[in-house]
Every structure is written in structure tokens, then in C-alpha cells.
């Protein structure tokens, strides 16, 4: 019995010793692995619809994350927004709506920076994002909140007839996100009750129609304002006064006015008939004018090549510097002042200060591209404003949507998909125009601008689709 007891006690001692060794080894390994935390911003990140945004995230203390797993996801761990693993980006199970729109910024990955860039922000991108980093068996994560915003058009006031003994006035605006606050105020700043209807367009942006009934007794100076809560921005107020003559009254003047209106309607009907006959001739003149403008531009062709010193490190230029495509890996290029470091852009080598010039870009059936003109002084680093205020006049295609990069963007409806774009620049008149080189149809003319003698250069942005500058 003692011998058995001794053997049992010895065996238990060995088990206990093995457990202690395993526990110490596991604990030491955990201490070695758990030498960092994952940190994001302590406040929501706000992004504008159609622009690019960077979600900051880094390890603390600073250490290389090149051999770690970096996973960005929303609510589902497996269906990720972006995945970096075994030293490369993985896209097998990436969420469909983020295809071709994400990039892990690896400039600072050796210092523990694992920030994510999302291109062409949409309203549906809003929400929480998890920045998950794993090293061996140890992992940490940070949670970030992304808010999406779009600043809509200036409020438009319209009178839509009589109602309930007064006049119904509508304040209308489109292109907002999130749903904005609409407020009517009187002269003293007091809020007035109103009725509102809202709808969303194909991009998920809100269109608001807010109406108020004005009676003769309550008629006074009124204003309509629209506020974006995410941007804390309020569009300019529109103040107006409705003349008493607009309010309905029963008088002999109404009878006389009715007779006059009937007479005018008869006159207008005859006039419209004559204008229809004249319209056929005007259409012919308009077609001739467009053809003349097209033929005039043919004499201003210039040779354009791509400037490798300005190209984003992800862009790969052909040997003849005529073609450009987007590469999966970032090239090891010097971060010179001329190079774009955030937006995947490249400039033409040629620049113009006077005269008229045009060049053509073969975009094929690519679904993601932007072409146009930029000032020599256009910003190359960090976030840039892709509009004339930021020094860029450009046309963009994003999937099935064509738009002009104004502020806000101007959507376009084209009769057919262009495969070759002509960019026309008139430095003396300050004009930038776009044509469909296939059928000679004009696409869009920017309003005249003042280039102030600055050198203007061809500008291109490549998101996923390659294209070529035509000879």
C-alpha cells in the first residue's frame, strides 16, 4: 500500500510539474505577444460622399506589423472590409460593396501604422469599423466610428398655389446626407410649423420638400434654412416677403384678369404653333454649330505623355508613358514633392499657359476613371479637393454613374457609353470642355474660369481601370 501510494503521489507530482511548466511557458509567451495595444481616434471620423477617407489605426508602442494579420471589418468578422495577412492583401471573402475601393496604407506599417483608405465614400459606408490586429495567439482591436456627410444644394423657394385660405410656399433642396434639419423662421427668429416630405435618390442622398402655408394676416419676412447635423453646416438663408396682391380676393379685377388670361392663352397657343415650325430650323442650326465647334478643335491637337515623377506609387506607367494602370503592390519610389501620395493620380508632362489645346484618352469599357485638367499648383499630398476650387476640372465615371467634379458633383445622363474622351482646354478664355470622341457629341462645358496665367496640365485618376492617352 505504501508503494502504491508513493507511485500515485509521484505521478501526481509529475502532472503538477508539467502543468506548472506549461503555465509558465504559456504565460511568458503571452507576455511576449501582448506587448502592444491597438489605438484609433477618440472621436468619429467624418467623410464626404464621393471623396476618399483614411481610417487611422496604429499599434502602441510602435513596432512593425508587416508579419501580423490586420483585419478591418464591421459586424461580421469573416466578411471583412479589408484583410492583410502573410504580408499581402487578401480579397477572397471581401464584402462585395468594397471591391476595388480599399487599400491598407503601408507607408508606416513598419512603425505600427495600419490605417485603411476607402475610396469614393457612399452613405452605406457609415457605421462602426473594427481595426483587428493579431500576432500569433495574441490579438487586440480598436473600434472606430465613420460618419458620412453630403452638403446639398442651396434651398430653392417656390410658390405652389393657394391652400386653406393662404398660399403654399415650398422650400426644396437635394443632395443631402444624413437627413437634414429644415427650419422656417419669422422675422424674430421663431420657428414656424411646416409639413415635410423626403425621398432618396439612387446614391442614397436625401431630397427634402418642406412647405408652409402663409396667410395674409401672418404675412411677414420669412426664411428657410437647411442644416447638416454631421457637418454642423447651414446653407444660406433665403428671406422673402409675399406681396398682399398674391392673396386671393373677390373683386372685379379678378373677372377682368380672367378675361385677359383667356385672351393670352389663345395668343400663346398660336405663338407656340409658330415656334414649333421655327424649332425645326433651329435644330438644324444647332447641329451645324456643334459640328463647327468640333471641327475647330481638330486643329488644336497636342501630344501628351504621362509624368512619372507625379504618379502615385500604385500606378504603373508604360515605357512610352502613354498608358497607365493600377498595381496591387506599392512601388518603392521617392516621395518627391511632385508625387501624389494619397489619391491615385498622375499628371501629363506637358503644360499650357496660352492658346487652345486638346488631347484624347481611350478609357475603353473601364468603370472607374477620371480625366481632366489641373493647375500646376494642385495639391499632391493627403486629401485633395477634386473640383475647380481645388484646381481640378474633370469628368468621372464610377460604375454606371457619370458626373462632373464640381462642388457638389453634377450628375450626367449620356445617350451612350463613351470609350474615348476628348479633353479641350482654352487657356485664353478659361474654358474646359469634354467631348465623346466617338460620335463628336459634347458631354459638358465648364463655366469660364480665370487661370491667372498659371500653367495648366492634363490630369488623370486611376481607380481600377487602365487607360491610354491617344496619339
Amino acid at each position: 500500500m505504501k508503494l502504491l501510494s508513493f507511485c500515485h503521489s509521484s505521478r501526481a507530482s509529475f502532472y503538477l510539474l508539467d502543468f506548472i511548466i506549461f503555465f509558465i511557458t504559456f504565460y511568458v509567451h503571452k507576455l511576449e505577444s501582448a506587448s502592444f495595444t491597438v489605438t484609433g481616434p477618440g472621436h468619429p471620423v467624418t467623410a464626404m460622399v464621393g471623396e476618399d477617407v483614411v481610417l487611422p489605426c496604429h499599434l502602441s508602442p510602435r513596432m512593425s506589423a508587416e508579419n501580423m494579420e490586420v483585419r478591418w471589418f464591421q459586424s461580421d468578422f469573416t466578411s471583412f472590409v479589408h484583410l492583410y495577412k502573410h504580408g499581402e492583401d487578401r480579397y477572397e471573402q471581401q464584402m462585395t460593396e468594397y471591391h476595388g475601393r480599399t487599400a491598407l496604407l503601408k507607408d508606416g506599417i513598419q512603425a505600427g501604422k495600419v490605417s485603411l483608405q476607402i475610396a469614393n465614400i457612399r452613405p452605406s459606408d457609415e457605421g462602426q469599423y473594427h481595426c483587428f490586429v493579431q500576432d500569433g495567439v495574441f490579438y487586440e482591436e480598436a473600434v472606430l466610428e465613420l460618419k458620412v456627410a453630403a452638403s446639398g444644394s442651396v434651398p430653392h423657394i417656390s410658390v405652389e398655389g393657394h391652400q386653406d385660405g393662404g398660399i403654399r410656399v415650398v422650400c426644396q433642396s437635394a443632395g443631402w446626407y444624413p437627413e437634414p434639419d429644415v427650419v422656417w423662421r419669422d422675422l424674430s427668429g421663431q420657428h414656424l410649423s411646416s409639413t415635410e416630405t423626403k425621398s432618396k435618390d439612387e446614391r442614397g442622398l436625401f431630397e427634402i420638400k418642406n412647405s408652409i402655408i402663409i396667410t395674409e394676416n401672418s404675412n411677414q419676412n420669412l426664411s428657410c434654412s437647411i442644416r447638416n447635423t454631421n457637418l454642423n453646416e447651414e446653407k444660406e438663408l433665403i428671406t422673402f416677403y409675399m406681396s398682399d396682391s398674391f392673396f386671393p380676393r373677390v373683386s372685379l379685377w379678378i373677372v377682368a384678369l380672367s378675361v385677359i388670361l383667356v385672351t393670352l392663352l389663345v395668343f400663346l397657343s398660336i405663338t407656340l404653333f409658330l415656334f414649333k415650325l421655327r424649332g425645326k430650323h433651329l435644330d438644324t442650326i444647332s447641329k451645324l454649330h456643334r459640328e463647327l465647334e468640333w471641327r475647330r478643335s481638330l486643329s488644336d491637337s497636342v501630344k501628351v505623355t504621362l509624368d512619372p515623377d507625379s504618379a502615385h506609387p500604385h500606378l504603373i506607367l508604360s515605357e512610352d508613358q502613354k498608358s497607365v494602370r493600377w498595381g496591387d503592390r506599392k512601388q518603392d519610389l521617392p516621395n518627391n514633392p511632385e508625387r501624389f501620395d494619397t489619391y491615385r493620380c498622375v499628371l501629363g508632362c506637358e503644360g499650357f499657359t496660352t492658346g487652345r489645346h486638346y488631347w484624347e484618352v481611350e478609357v475603353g469599357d473601364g468603370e472607374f476613371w477620371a480625366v481632366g485638367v489641373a493647375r500646376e499648383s494642385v495639391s499632391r499630398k493627403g486629401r485633395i479637393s477634386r473640383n475647380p476650387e481645388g484646381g481640378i476640372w474633370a469628368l468621372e465615371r464610377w460604375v454606371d454613374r457619370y458626373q462632373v467634379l464640381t462642388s457638389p458633383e453634377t450628375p450626367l445622363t449620356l445617350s451612350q457609353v463613351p470609350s474615348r474622351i476628348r479633353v479641350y482646354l482654352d487657356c485664353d478664355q478659361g474654358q474646359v470642355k469634354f467631348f465623346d470622341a466617338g460620335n463628336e457629341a459634347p458631354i459638358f462645358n465648364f463655366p469660364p474660369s480665370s487661370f491667372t496665367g498659371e500653367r495648366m496640365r492634363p490630369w488623370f485618376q486611376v481607380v481600377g481601370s487602365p487607360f491610354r492617352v491617344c496619339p
Side-chain angles (χ1 to χ4, degrees), residues 157-172 184 194-197 209-215 240 242 246-248:
I157 297 293
S158 61
V159 178
E160 298 195 355
H162 296 94
Q163 181 177 334
D164 300 332
I167 296 176
R168 183 170 180 260
V169 182
V170 177
C171 178
Q172 185 174 354
W184 287 91
S194 59
T195 303
E196 182 175 279
T197 60
K209 294 180 70 175
N210 194 291
S211 60
I212 189 172
I213 306 299
I214 303 176
T215 62
F240 69 97
M242 188 71 67
F246 281 90
F247 293 94

Side-chain angles (χ1 to χ4, degrees), residues 130-146:
H130 296 253
C131 176
F132 174 93
V133 183
Q134 182 173 354
D135 181 19
V137 298
F138 178 78
Y139 62 87
E140 285 286 350
E141 69 173 12
V143 180
L144 296 74
E145 181 179 1
L146 174 63

Side-chain angles (χ1 to χ4, degrees), residues 113-134:
K113 295 181 179 180
V114 290
S115 301
L116 178 71
Q117 177 177 297
I118 305 177
N120 191 28
I121 287 295
R122 309 168 181 171
S124 58
D125 296 333
E126 188 170 67
Q128 287 190 340
Y129 289 76
H130 296 253
C131 176
F132 174 93
V133 183
Q134 182 173 354

